[in-house]
Amino acid sequence: MGTTRRPGSYVCGVDAAIDVIGGKWKTFIIWELSLRPCRFGELRRQVPGVTEKVLAAQLRELEADGIVHREAYDEVPPRVEYSLTPRGAALNEALVPLEAWGKANIIAGPPAPHGSAAAGEMREDDDVALITGAS
């Protein structure tokens, strides 16, 4: 599941950024770690639906990209904590406008066009059911 980053192959900055956050769970992981550092089990509980295998792979990729820091403590039992690096925090800030767009345009639905039936007006191109049997 690992990917090879090839800086010369990107078409634009968005292409490069999407390569880093691509995958179903990475944005959820980044968001959770923006709240506070987490241990693996805690992070797994906070990202419902992700399997241990996939979470471990996504964390490794984010660590390799410099987004996540993995701190292993020399304790018994062993303890590992994940947190965002400054680069990861900057990436999370860049995702805030994307979140706002998603809330406004997908979750809330697109705004009704001006003059549409939703605004109480009919237009010539609005689909209207035929009324049969009217005289």
Side-chain angles (χ1 to χ4, degrees):
M1 189 156 190
T3 58
T4 303
R5 308 282 184 235
R6 297 177 312 220
S9 68
Y10 297 123
V11 176
C12 63
V14 173
D15 186 21
I18 294 297
D19 190 32
V20 172
I21 62 169
K24 183 174 181 178
W25 304 107
K26 287 184 180 178
T27 53
F28 293 110
I29 294 166
I30 292 167
W31 183 77
E32 281 298 329
L33 292 177
S34 74
L35 301 175
R36 69 183 180 291
C38 294
R39 295 176 69 174
F40 184 87
E42 181 184 9
L43 195 53
R44 182 155 186 264
R45 285 188 298 277
Q46 297 301 322
V47 183
V50 68
T51 64
E52 285 186 27
K53 179 180 176 182
V54 171
L55 179 58
Q58 301 266 285
L59 283 167
R60 277 193 300 273
E61 288 178 19
L62 288 167
E63 185 181 7
D65 290 332
I67 305 300
V68 168
H69 172 71
R70 180 182 186 271
E71 181 75 32
Y73 294 92
D74 191 21
E75 298 176 352
V76 177
R79 180 170 61 111
V80 175
E81 221 173 52
Y82 295 92
S83 60
L84 289 182
T85 63
R87 187 177 186 182
L91 176 58
N92 187 58
E93 286 299 315
L95 292 173
V96 170
L98 187 60
E99 176 196 17
W101 183 90
K103 283 182 179 178
N105 293 281
I106 305 300
I107 294 173
H114 180 66
S116 71
E121 299 176 17
M122 295 296 295
R123 295 176 14 176
E124 286 182 22
D125 57 346
D126 286 342
D127 291 333
V128 180
L130 295 175
I131 301 174
T132 57
S135 36

